[in-house]
Amino acid sequence: MKKFTVLLMVFVLSLMVSGVTMASGTEQESKQATMTVDKVYYMKGSGYYVAHTTKDEEGHFWVLQVTDIAIPKEDKSFTEVLRKQYQGKQVVVTYAEPLNDDEEVEIWGVKLK
């Protein structure tokens, strides 16, 4: 499994998708990863605030999108509020690994512990 970096549209709300199946009719198996939020910052290129987790034993980590709406310029006070709210907290990411190496990881849900 390659190093994966994914963006999640909603970090605060948990999305659960049921009955995910592949075209072949085989059901994907969900996995969970519990990680700690290492840092929260404004990503200039996208205009979103993101949370970056610590790496696991294999060097994998998550980049999770915290805000729904992109803004053209960082609001430093809002960045600080998000850091206090999320930094150091654990998140449980429920996902399905791709069956092929060229596919992306599909996130089914994110829950703040």
Side-chain angles (χ1 to χ4, degrees), residues 76-90:
K76 301 267 186 197
S77 62
F78 186 56
T79 304
E80 195 56 36
V81 168
L82 291 174
R83 282 187 182 140
K84 287 179 182 176
Q85 186 174 1
Y86 296 114
Q87 205 158 309
K89 302 279 175 78
Q90 285 193 325

Side-chain angles (χ1 to χ4, degrees), residues 2 12 21 23 38-39 41 43 45-46 49 55 57 60 68-69 75 77 79-80 85 90 104 109-110 112:
K2 298 179 183 176
V12 178
T21 57
D38 186 37
K39 56 187 170 184
Y41 58 93
M43 188 179 284
S46 70
Y49 288 89
K55 293 181 180 179
E57 306 84 37
H60 302 143
D68 286 338
I69 301 170
D75 179 341
S77 62
T79 304
E80 195 56 36
Q85 186 174 1
Q90 285 193 325
E104 292 183 9
V110 174
L112 191 62

Side-chain angles (χ1 to χ4, degrees), residues 16 29-35 56 62 91-97 108-111 113:
M16 291 307 287
E29 183 179 324
S30 68
K31 294 186 177 189
Q32 285 190 334
T34 302
M35 311 287 273
D56 66 10
W62 297 93
V91 292
V92 178
V93 180
T94 305
Y95 66 98
E97 284 188 334
W108 291 359
V110 174
K111 198 181 257 187
K113 268 189 155 180

Side-chain angles (χ1 to χ4, degrees), residues 8-27:
L8 179 66
M9 288 302 292
V10 181
F11 179 67
V12 178
L13 300 175
S14 179
L15 298 177
M16 291 307 287
V17 179
S18 62
V20 176
T21 57
M22 299 299 292
S24 65
T26 60
E27 194 170 317

